[in-house]
Amino acid sequence: MENNQMYADSLTAVPSPAPLPTDEPAPSAPTPTTAAPAASAPASSKRRLLWHLGEMALAMVAGMLLLGPLWELAGTAAGIGDALARPEIAALVMATNMTVGMTVGMRYRAHRWHAVGEMAAAMYVPFLLLLVPFRAGVIDADALLLGGHLLMIPAMVLVAVRHRHEASAPVRRHRVVVALAHRWPTGLALLMTVDMWVDPSVLSPWTMLVLPVGYLVIGVARRTLGGRGVLATQLAGLAVWVALTLVAVMAGGRAADWLVAFGWLAHAGWDLAHHRNRRVVPGGYAEFCAVLDVALAAVMVLAILTTDA
């Protein structure tokens, strides 16, 4: 399964995670200068395979985050909420949500329909197989859901390996679609907050500690904390949000709720500053974090204003 490298209608170049095996002509005879590319070909193919599986996992999570609340709303409106909550139905609904997300992701990456169909089967077949022992009373609901997900992983890998050398399908994309795809961190952040808009609530004050710690962890992993003043700035941010967390915990009540909402909103400004300089975290992470912070802050303000003190 190869990634499409050019959008036909927008001429927007899309770099693949690694060079395609067909990008260079195969050498007629091994030479000292061509031995290195030949040796790196298996590693390149492995990176593409892992990249594709990672993209599929993100697309499946996005499908569940977006469609899950819609199923709940539709089930409540139609009076079939109890039926949708049955383990066997819930498993198939979950497989459907993942399949929709995976299909959109694969088609955007120009994978052919027969490959998409096989990957969709990898979503459904594990659950369908486990429905037999579930209905027979051999396994319970937890084993059905957990076992279906565990069996899904090797099934996905087998499909990805089977189609890893196939050429991309010709796909034309509108400029708007390309632009939206480039803003995937924003889309992912908004998807993660869909469920909270249905039932808004205020997060615990301790969740604010995730905000500065995330930057420090990523900075250590990427080794981007060594510039002048970079580590000191991150530690200062950590001190500020730790202090804000402790104040909120001690204040309690409505004051704590407002402090938590303010803490998440204020961190969006921190994200925007890092999105501009890109010194500590990738730009995509800073964009994702900024949108998530603003959305969660808005949800918490809504929860505060719509509940009694």
Side-chain angles (χ1 to χ4, degrees):
M1 295 183 176
E2 302 297 343
N3 291 341
N4 193 25
Q5 290 186 294
M6 187 71 69
Y7 296 115
D9 55 341
S10 64
L11 299 182
T12 302
V14 180
S16 60
L20 298 175
T22 55
D23 286 345
E24 298 292 339
S28 57
T31 64
T33 58
T34 59
S40 64
S44 174
S45 178
K46 183 178 180 180
R47 284 196 299 270
R48 287 197 309 276
L49 177 62
L50 294 175
W51 183 271
H52 170 60
L53 291 172
E55 285 184 331
M56 292 304 95
L58 287 176
M60 291 157 57
V61 171
M64 290 189 293
L65 290 173
L66 178 61
L67 298 178
L70 298 182
W71 279 100
E72 293 182 10
L73 292 175
T76 302
I80 57 174
D82 293 338
L84 292 177
R86 293 171 52 187
E88 60 271 37
I89 303 300
L92 295 179
V93 168
M94 185 180 302
T96 300
N97 296 343
M98 291 187 290
T99 299
V100 171
M102 176 272 303
T103 300
V104 173
M106 289 186 68
R107 286 303 295 169
Y108 182 81
R109 284 300 190 186
H111 296 290
R112 297 182 180 276
W113 278 112
H114 66 277
V116 175
E118 291 184 18
M119 192 65 80
M123 306 291 105
Y124 282 103
V125 170
F127 290 111
L128 293 175
L129 291 176
L130 292 178
L131 282 179
V132 177
F134 173 77
R135 297 294 295 177
V138 178
I139 62 175
D140 58 11
D142 292 336
L144 170 66
L145 295 176
L146 178 60
H149 284 89
L150 292 178
L151 292 176
M152 189 185 301
I153 296 174
M156 290 176 59
V157 173
L158 288 175
V159 175
V161 171
R162 166 177 159 77
H163 295 281
R164 68 188 184 279
H165 295 308
E166 289 188 359
S168 302
V171 176
R172 294 181 61 86
R173 302 183 181 92
H174 195 274
R175 291 180 181 273
V176 174
V177 175
V178 175
L180 290 175
H182 289 169
R183 296 271 70 85
W184 68 265
T186 295
L188 180 60
L190 293 176
L191 286 175
M192 292 182 64
T193 63
V194 169
D195 194 33
M196 294 192 66
W197 287 101
V198 178
D199 186 19
S201 60
V202 179
L203 299 177
S204 166
W206 297 107
T207 59
M208 288 192 292
L209 296 180
V210 176
L211 303 174
V213 170
Y215 274 74
L216 284 168
V217 171
I218 295 175
V220 170
R222 299 181 72 227
R223 300 180 180 179
T224 53
L225 298 177
R228 175 179 295 181
V230 175
L231 180 58
T233 301
Q234 297 304 315
L235 292 177
L238 175 63
V240 169
W241 268 277
V242 168
L244 186 61
T245 299
L246 294 177
V247 171
V249 170
M250 291 185 294
R254 184 54 57 92
D257 293 343
W258 281 112
L259 286 173
V260 174
F262 169 77
W264 280 84
L265 183 60
H267 195 263
W270 182 269
D271 297 324
L272 291 176
H274 284 79
H275 186 268
R276 291 176 62 87
N277 58 44
R278 301 173 185 251
R279 295 180 64 183
V280 178
V281 298
Y285 177 83
E287 176 185 340
F288 162 80
C289 197
V291 176
L292 183 66
D293 291 348
V294 172
L296 289 179
V299 168
M300 287 186 277
V301 169
L302 177 63
I304 295 171
L305 296 178
T306 56
T307 56
D308 296 331

